[in-house]
Every structure is written in C-alpha cells, then in structure tokens.
Amino acid sequence: MKNLIGSLLTVIIFLMAIQPVCAKPNDEQLKRLVLTLLAPKIQEQINHYYKNKLTVSPSFTPFLDGTDVDVKYHPSHIEVQVKTIPYVGPHLDVGLDSMRFSMDNSGLIVVLEYKHIRDYDLPPNWQEIIKTR
C-alpha cells in the first residue's frame, strides 16, 4: 500500500510539473498563423481601398515591421484587429490602415471594418501612380 501511495504521489507530482504547450492569445506563433490565414483577405481589402487612389495595388508584408495583430477569443468566434502599412515598389509606405475580421468556428472569415488612418507621401519619382483627385 505504501508503494502504491508513493507511486501515485510521484505520478501526480510529475504530471503537475509538466506544463501543457498551448498558444496564448498574443503569442508570436499564433499571430503568424492568424496573419497567414488572413493574408488573402487583408490584401483584398487593401486592393479595394487603394484602387481609386493609386494605379498600382500596394502590398503588405505580414511578418516584417509595420503589421500589428490583436487576437480576441470568444466561444463562437475569434476577432482579429490588424494594423498594417501597405507599400509600393521598394517598400515605399503609402498609408496606415486598420481592419477587423471575425473568424467563426467553421472557418468563415467576415470583414467587420476597414479604416484608413493616414496617407504617406510618395517620393517625386513615384508620384505618377497617384490617381488625380
């Protein structure tokens, strides 16, 4: 009986010492996964906003500086706020944009909001891509 109790205590202590590996809401790996899943939708929103402002569609780089992600968990969905700085050419910033998405448990992604926060000036040799107002 003593051996059984001692063995059980050893197992319990061992199990308590092992920490499960799980993503916390703002872990970098989780943010990278969310950005990878949302990249097509983010680019789609950027294309839509800038189509009337520029003759070329800006890009965004999800894993470099300039993209910030905040993930909020709900029982039925995940809400994601993304701030990004789209660019043209050799990383010439054109603006700062914020967008909010909802992903339900089936994987459906819905755009909740797109907000253009600010424009950045392009250098003189890139002015020709700006559509006239």
Side-chain angles (χ1 to χ4, degrees), residues 24 26-33:
K24 294 184 180 80
N26 289 311
D27 280 347
E28 289 305 311
Q29 295 89 351
L30 177 63
K31 287 180 180 182
R32 185 171 184 126
L33 175 63

Side-chain angles (χ1 to χ4, degrees), residues 49-50 83-84 95-98 114-119:
Y49 178 79
Y50 287 95
K83 279 189 184 172
T84 191
L96 174 62
D97 299 295
S98 174
Y114 185 97
K115 195 184 312 182
H116 179 71
I117 299 170
R118 125 174 231 214
D119 287 322

Side-chain angles (χ1 to χ4, degrees), residues 37-38 41 76 102-110:
L37 293 171
L38 288 178
K41 289 285 189 185
S76 61
S102 175
M103 288 190 289
D104 72 13
N105 292 333
S106 71
L108 177 68
I109 299 171
V110 176

